[in-house]
Amino acid sequence: MKRGYGVETIYRMLSKELAYCELHNALTDAIDELTIMKLLNHEIGKYALAKISYPEISDNCK
């Protein structure tokens, strides 16, 4: 995001929650960014390139 337009600023602007304060942990950061996507009416499929692929887990790990 551009300088001065971080997640907290964008979230406040789009949600109209002017008292919102970012917690800065992985879970809430992800939730905040998904909320921003929703507020912008972006579909999750638009971000398919960001998908994380996990290798298959071997039966030896059980």
Side-chain angles (χ1 to χ4, degrees):
M1 294 195 171
K2 289 184 102 178
R3 188 173 189 191
Y5 289 95
V7 171
E8 188 172 88
T9 305
I10 297 296
Y11 190 102
R12 286 178 181 175
M13 182 174 57
L14 295 173
S15 70
K16 310 293 189 230
E17 292 180 41
L18 302 180
Y20 173 79
C21 292
E22 204 176 354
L23 293 177
H24 296 291
N25 67 53
L27 178 60
T28 57
D29 286 354
I31 292 169
D32 290 347
E33 291 180 24
L34 287 169
T35 301
I36 289 170
M37 288 171 49
K38 183 178 178 182
L39 291 167
L40 291 170
N41 294 317
H42 288 192
E43 295 292 328
I44 193 74
K46 184 174 185 175
Y47 300 94
L49 291 174
K51 181 180 177 185
I52 298 172
S53 298
Y54 294 98
E56 289 194 31
I57 297 173
S58 151
D59 288 338
N60 297 332
C61 294
K62 293 180 180 178

